[in-house]
Amino acid sequence: MEKTIEDPPTSAILLDHCHFSQVIFNSVEKFYIPGGDVTCHYTFTQHFIPRRKDWIGIFRVGWKTTREYYTFMWVTLPIDLNNKSAKQQEVQFKAYYLPKDDEYYQFCYVDQDGVVRGASIPFQFRPENEEDILVVTTQEELETLQSINKKLELKVKEQKDYWETELLQLKEQNQKMSSENEKMGIRVDQLQAQLSTQEKEMEKLVQGDQDKTEQLEQLKKENDHLFLSLTEQRKDQKKLEQTVEQMKHNETTAMKKQQELMDENFDLSKRLSENKMMYNALQREKERLEGENDLLKRENSRLLSYMGLDFDSLPYQVPASDEGGAGQNPGLVYGNPYSGIQESSSPSLLSIKKCPICKSDDICDHTWEQQQMQALCLNCPVCDKIFPATEKQIFEDHVFCHSL
């Protein structure tokens, strides 16, 4: 079976054979001579309209579907179907593509849906002989033609039975399809109702989407404001961080200063404690000296009374210094009998000056305190640094360092 590059449209089933009369084949020969081209003549009925993909095929008699064609040719569409000449059409089959056996074939017109719209009488491809030319045939030839005719009738009957079977199957399929169409119609109504409901829901969704879009725009604006606010807050935070760093630095400096002050305070506390100890010692020494001074005054008053003199009426003056030994005061008749005692036991009454604090000519607390401080302290003769009397060894080492 020969085919062109593009296969024609076919179908696996057959429709009612009444459709075969829509295209009529004309001048079909009983046989065609092999090796020559074959021209097929056909006519469109008034109710048939040809289409672009219609074709004419050569089928072996007994075919069941349009897929069983031997060869085919595309039909030529007429320019004007209303014209009578347009109804008469023809197509030519080239000898190369024609069958080479002597089986019976027929022309079939097939539309672009694969449905047969017309079929010709059977014919053969065999050479011409003398018996075909004779007008009078013999009884034997007549009996041969009758046999051939019976064969053809049998094949036609078989094909008709097949078509009737196909028709019944098609009717059953048609009924099934009708039932399915009814079901499909109900289904279509249901789908349309669902579609209507979905369209309403879609409108709601679209409206909701628009609302969400507006909300999104509003959120974007708020986000922009928040971003600006966040930027400002970051700037403020950066300033705060700088301030915190400065405060930490200041705190570190303050802690260092506080530590220095604490160390200094500790030194001052230590010195204050030492000064308190010295003060207590001096206070005790002062009290002792005051007691001795009272004893001396009472003893002096007793002696003067014994001598018939009044201590307050003595006309002597206290000398500025006691250099040159225990000099005699010209105001005293018998001299000062306590000069030796005063020089040996306590500071001379004649050497006492006015107190720079209370301006007193007598021995006051400030004078005693100063004298006791000098007595309990060691002064460096080089740098005038003061050391407690209890740190004599440290004082000596200090003075020794100046000589190095």
Side-chain angles (χ1 to χ4, degrees):
M1 183 179 296
E2 299 293 338
K3 293 187 179 180
T4 58
I5 296 177
E6 182 181 2
D7 294 336
T10 60
S11 176
I13 59 175
L14 292 175
L15 297 179
D16 193 352
H17 61 276
C18 62
H19 295 155
F20 290 4
S21 61
Q22 292 182 354
V23 177
I24 300 174
F25 288 93
N26 304 317
S27 304
V28 179
E29 301 293 338
K30 293 181 179 180
F31 63 89
Y32 293 94
I33 299 175
D37 298 336
V38 174
T39 301
C40 174
H41 301 276
Y42 59 94
T43 303
F44 296 126
T45 60
Q46 60 180 355
H47 300 294
F48 180 75
I49 299 176
R51 290 180 290 180
R52 186 175 60 87
K53 287 290 184 177
D54 293 354
W55 55 282
I56 294 177
I58 296 177
F59 291 80
R60 180 178 293 175
V61 174
W63 58 273
K64 294 179 175 60
T65 65
T66 54
R67 295 177 180 178
E68 300 177 16
Y69 65 91
Y70 185 87
T71 186
F72 80 99
M73 291 294 295
W74 297 108
V75 301
T76 302
L77 295 179
I79 299 175
D80 185 8
L81 288 175
N82 296 324
N83 190 351
K84 185 175 181 180
S85 61
K87 301 292 184 180
Q88 304 293 328
Q89 299 292 323
E90 66 180 29
V91 64
Q92 189 177 54
F93 290 89
K94 295 297 182 180
Y96 178 79
Y97 299 103
L98 295 176
K100 302 298 188 293
D101 55 25
D102 58 353
E103 295 291 332
Y104 284 91
Y105 294 88
Q106 65 181 148
F107 299 115
C108 290
Y109 188 100
V110 185
D111 63 11
Q112 67 179 17
D113 296 326
V115 179
V116 177
R117 299 297 179 177
S120 69
I121 62 174
F123 56 84
Q124 288 179 295
F125 292 94
R126 62 182 179 84
E128 183 179 7
N129 51 39
E130 295 179 355
E131 294 178 354
D132 297 324
I133 301 174
L134 293 176
V135 178
V136 180
T137 60
T138 61
Q139 184 67 27
E140 183 178 358
E141 291 174 349
L142 180 59
E143 290 175 358
T144 302
L145 289 175
Q146 288 178 353
S147 176
I148 293 172
N149 190 26
K150 287 180 179 180
K151 290 180 180 180
L152 289 175
E153 289 178 354
L154 181 61
K155 288 184 178 181
V156 170
K157 186 177 183 302
E158 290 177 355
Q159 188 173 7
K160 183 178 180 181
D161 293 338
Y162 175 77
W163 286 349
E164 288 179 352
T165 303
E166 289 290 331
L167 181 59
L168 291 174
Q169 293 178 356
L170 289 173
K171 286 181 179 180
E172 292 177 357
Q173 292 179 0
N174 189 21
Q175 290 178 355
K176 291 180 180 180
M177 292 181 67
S178 298
S179 177
E180 291 179 357
N181 286 335
E182 291 179 358
K183 294 180 181 179
M184 290 297 293
I186 296 172
R187 182 59 179 166
V188 168
D189 294 337
Q190 294 176 352
L191 292 176
Q192 287 180 349
Q194 292 180 0
L195 180 61
S196 177
T197 304
Q198 290 178 357
E199 287 178 351
K200 293 180 181 179
E201 292 178 355
M202 182 63 70
E203 291 178 357
K204 293 180 180 179
L205 291 175
V206 170
Q207 184 64 34
D209 185 59
Q210 293 177 354
D211 295 338
K212 289 182 180 179
T213 303
E214 294 176 358
Q215 293 178 1
L216 181 60
E217 293 295 331
Q218 184 66 27
L219 289 175
K220 286 182 179 179
K221 293 180 181 179
E222 293 178 359
N223 189 28
D224 293 337
H225 291 303
L226 289 175
F227 180 76
L228 294 175
S229 177
L230 181 60
T231 303
E232 295 295 330
Q233 289 180 1
R234 286 179 178 174
K235 292 181 181 178
D236 295 338
Q237 183 179 2
K238 189 174 182 180
K239 292 180 180 179
L240 289 174
E241 289 177 355
Q242 294 176 353
T243 304
V244 170
E245 291 295 330
Q246 185 64 31
M247 291 177 67
K248 287 182 179 179
H249 178 71
N250 295 338
E251 183 181 2
T252 303
T253 305
M255 290 179 68
K256 291 182 180 178
K257 185 66 177 177
Q258 182 181 7
Q259 186 64 34
E260 293 175 356
L261 291 175
M262 290 176 66
D263 295 340
E264 184 178 355
N265 186 30
F266 178 77
D267 294 338
L268 291 175
S269 298
K270 184 177 179 181
R271 292 178 61 185
L272 179 61
S273 178
E274 293 175 353
N275 290 335
K276 285 182 178 181
M277 294 173 64
M278 293 174 64
Y279 174 77
N280 292 332
L282 291 173
Q283 187 69 23
R284 290 192 297 271
E285 184 67 17
K286 173 188 173 184
E287 292 175 355
R288 185 183 66 80
L289 292 175
E290 285 179 350
E292 292 179 355
N293 188 32
D294 291 338
L295 290 174
L296 289 174
K297 283 183 178 182
R298 288 195 297 271
E299 184 65 22
N300 192 21
S301 296
R302 187 182 65 81
L303 292 174
L304 289 175
S305 177
Y306 178 78
M307 295 174 64
L309 296 176
D310 188 2
F311 180 78
D312 294 333
S313 62
L314 290 177
Y316 71 90
Q317 293 180 352
V318 179
S321 63
D322 57 352
E323 293 180 356
Q328 300 293 326
N329 193 325
L332 297 177
V333 179
Y334 298 102
N336 188 1
Y338 299 100
S339 60
I341 299 173
Q342 292 175 354
E343 289 177 357
S344 61
S345 62
S346 63
S348 176
L349 294 173
L350 298 178
S351 64
I352 297 175
K353 299 180 181 180
K354 288 184 178 182
C355 178
I357 298 175
C358 61
K359 306 300 181 180
S360 174
D361 292 334
D362 196 2
I363 297 176
C364 64
D365 295 341
H366 302 94
T367 305
W368 282 109
E369 181 178 352
Q370 184 178 6
Q371 292 176 354
Q372 293 298 325
M373 284 288 292
Q374 292 177 355
L376 296 176
C377 295
L378 301 174
N379 293 332
C380 177
V382 180
C383 62
D384 295 332
K385 187 173 182 180
I386 300 173
F387 294 86
T390 57
E391 298 179 357
K392 184 177 180 180
Q393 184 62 44
I394 297 175
F395 168 74
E396 292 176 355
D397 294 340
H398 174 76
V399 175
F400 177 73
C401 289
H402 286 295
S403 64
L404 295 178

